Amino acid sequence: MTAPTGTDVDRGFRAPIGRSWLAIYRLQLRLLVTWGRLVTMLGLGALAVIIGAALGSGGRGTGTENATELVALYGLLLLLPVASLVFASSALGDPREDGTLVYLWMRPLPRWVTALASWAAALTITLPITVVPLTLAAALAGAPSDLVVATALATGVGAVAYTAVFGALGLRTRRSLLWGLLYLFIWEGFVANASDQAAQLAILAYTQSLLSAASGQPLDLAVVVAPWSWIVPLLVAAVALVYTVHRLRVQEVP
Amino acid sequence: MSVIELRSVSKWFGSVVAVSDVSFSIDRGVTALLGPNGAGKSTVLRMLCGLTRPSDGSVRVLGGDPATDPALARRIGIVPQQEGLFDKLTAVEFVTLAGTLQGLDDPGAAARRALEVVELDHADTRAVGGYSKGMRQRVKVAQALVHDPDVVFLDEPLTGLDPRQRKHMIELFGRLGDEGRCVLVSSHVLDEVERFGSRILVIVQGRLAAEGDFHAIRDLMDDRPHRIRVETDRPRQLAAGLLAEGVALGVRLDGPQAVLVDTVDAAAFRHAVGPVAVATGARLLAVAPLDDDLDSVFRYLVGR
Amino acid sequence: MTAAARIHDRGYSRYTDERTGTGGAVRSLYRQTLQQALGFRRSVWQKILPFLSIVLAYLPAIAFVGMAAFANTQPRVAAQVQELLPTYAEYYGFVYAAILVFVAFVAPELLCADRRTGMLGLYLASPLTRGTYLLARGAGTLTLLLLVTLGPPLLMLVANTLNGTGPTSIGEFLTTLGQVLVSGVVIGAFYGALSLAVASLTTRRAFATVGIVFILFGSSVLTQLLIRRARFSQDLFLANLLLLPLELVFRIFGESGHINRTASEAQTLPLALAWAGWTGGCALLVWLRYRRLEVTR
């Protein structure tokens, strides 16, 4: 090793952004994808496809009714938020928990690079394991093409928002899974049903609104009109990411 | 300006004061940060790395604030205390990642060099999750050195290493210091710290108890006599001569050919012992300080 | 050294007090179970979640008692207010989310960490055996769940009785009290056994929590979809692990309604047998899992 000159590094030095972003993104993908998580989530996705096929071959209602209920109940209420919670809360939550965050933090990088790369990795995993099976399930259940597209859109927009929010939660608190579940089941599953105002504070209301607008089927929380039904979740994601960057700046690193 | 400067730094967690009004500055070379468990060593190191902010006072490393200036990380290497690593990566992948995030042009080559320095095989295809504690420790050191930092912080880096690896690592710290880097090593393995060099910082109960060369610190401990063992063929006569000369507080025979001398002024004793031996006709066989080692200094400071 | 010299062993003193044996160990672990789950002697953050769940479970009961008391003083609107108030069985529909949050974190908190950190080995080095360890943990889990499944309706019963809006005779009161007690135990034991079974399968608390939630909600959503949309038999409701115990409570109170319309055709006996089967099966799974578990001491 050579001795440092002490002057070879300018104040304000930054590692190359693109290369660093890619390195963290690839690292997060490797860390997040474990066999247990992947098999479980793929299995739950496959279950949606099987039920979609069952509804399509002998369902009681119309294809639109069956597909809407399947996607709304199993997809938007359960699979999408839980998959997002599992992967996104681990992205920065696990390194924070096991003390490896220091190896990402103690680098000459803007904090947004770490935040954005981690979120992108969580989204990269969540999108295919939710959008693909739910879209396929909707198609198999007999949904018309615009409902199939709406399923993909609602799931995709929801994944963007949920992963950003749960990613921030993972960094903020040690028990992010429990707080995430509390939000999903107490707020989205219960309080949001009480009034339209409360519903507007639930991501589920936006995903259901997107689905309901395409299917024409009434859903409990479908209270938001376009274009807010897709603009607001994207704004929520942006705010959550800004918060994540802020936390990385001010939070104590274990 | 010193490489590292702490001014009136305190850190508290709720009602627990971890570090209280600590000030010191460190220049290039190796410095050991000592203290019993829970004394606040890790908190001081974490503040120096910017991982936690002081509740009061200021921390400066290379003139900047490590908590708010990510660019400083380019010139700092850190070996944290916790064992966690990205367990799915191989050693070379782990260190290459560190090099990439440090903005090195060829992080792969730098990683291989850093792994050679810590005697790890860069061609090893095993993930670090399967490594022994000592190997993991060396991976941590390699990632801290991959970007040739000016300042290196090591929190208990000798933990888990076998004696040969410890010796190698201590030599490495010395080399890093000789190359002009500022190396701060926290440890509680005193006999090994003694081999890093003699500059120490002692933290006890969150306060700075002593700083500087530990031999000089020992000399400052004037409320505690130095104990010196003198081997001679005429111990009784020599003891009487030293007492008469006024350089010994007390003497005690230690077997038929040795005398233990307590003195508050080691320098005066060193000057007097030769002439007194000549005057009493005693032949000096050996003169050795018994409590001039780091362990003795440390025990004194901690127990005070 | 003189004959009078003595070295005092100050580092170790022999325990000379009474030894409480297995019973004491079980009681101690039971007490510790309650403290651990409720976050006693821990940071504020560890207390928030259990206490939030408890508050959410009790809040509607307090509100309904207040509404009943108000109706009692306003004869003109009494009928309308009474109409709004839920029955004891319907009450669980208001608080099942709070109960489930409690269910999802209690058992993983108690079982997973002990195996992950090696604490189980220390427990088994005491007079506790695998059986008595599970007994203490299981009893603790049930007690904690009864806090949210039994407490709120009991509060409603007592408050309504004192208020004059509840049972009108001692016989009626005792009958309702029995129904409330059995209902609380039915729900607590079912969810408790299920959550302990899931928690016994993994050492990661987070996985156990997500597993419990997914099994409960997933089974509910899937059975409802298959019954309502894919023409499956309503017997499939017996696999709805979320709603099965709540529907059984309707039968215990002899109420005409149902927790969900997919439960309307289910007979009471198969419901009770399914409840017993699931609860017993889960308890058996926990026992088998721990019997074969390799514990490092």
Side-chain angles (χ1 to χ4, degrees), chain B residues 200-253:
Chain B
I200 59 169
L201 290 163
V202 182
I203 306 261
V204 179
Q205 292 180 338
R207 289 179 159 271
L208 189 63
E211 60 179 318
D213 180 293
F214 75 78
H215 298 291
I217 295 171
R218 176 65 188 93
D219 286 342
L220 288 174
M221 289 156 39
D222 53 8
D223 58 335
R224 176 176 161 153
H226 293 258
R227 175 159 290 182
I228 297 161
R229 188 170 190 271
V230 184
E231 285 184 30
T232 174
D233 56 344
R234 305 183 70 183
R236 288 175 189 277
Q237 289 80 353
L238 183 68
L242 289 170
L243 282 171
E245 190 68 19
V247 292
L249 270 183
V251 292
R252 187 156 63 87
L253 293 177

Side-chain angles (χ1 to χ4, degrees), chain A residues 44 47 51 55 58-61 65-66 69-70 73-74 78-79 82 86 175 177-179 181-182 185-186 190, chain C residues 46 48-49 52 56 93-94 97-98 101 105 109 206 209-210 213-214 217-218 221-222 225 227-231:
Chain A
L44 294 171
L47 206 55
I51 297 170
L55 293 180
R60 195 163 270 159
E65 287 169 352
N66 291 342
E69 189 156 337
L70 170 63
L73 271 182
Y74 186 78
L78 204 61
L79 181 64
V82 173
V86 167
R175 303 183 127 199
L177 267 178
L178 280 173
W179 284 106
L181 290 174
L182 202 66
F185 295 115
I186 300 290
F190 198 73
Chain C
Q46 305 274 344
I48 289 180
L49 205 65
L52 192 66
L56 287 173
F94 285 87
V101 170
F105 95 93
E109 173 80 28
T209 296
V210 171
V213 166
F214 224 103
F217 280 86
V221 164
L222 289 178
L225 272 173
I227 293 170
R228 289 221 303 252
R229 294 285 166 198
R231 302 172 196 274

Side-chain angles (χ1 to χ4, degrees), chain A residues 4 6 19 30 33 252-253, chain B residues 11 46 52 75 88 104 150:
Chain A
R19 211 153 52 107
R30 280 180 76 173
V33 176
E252 304 231 330
V253 181
Chain B
K11 177 71 185 180
R46 285 170 49 71
T52 185
R75 302 176 68 185
K88 284 186 174 179
L104 302 184
D150 291 351

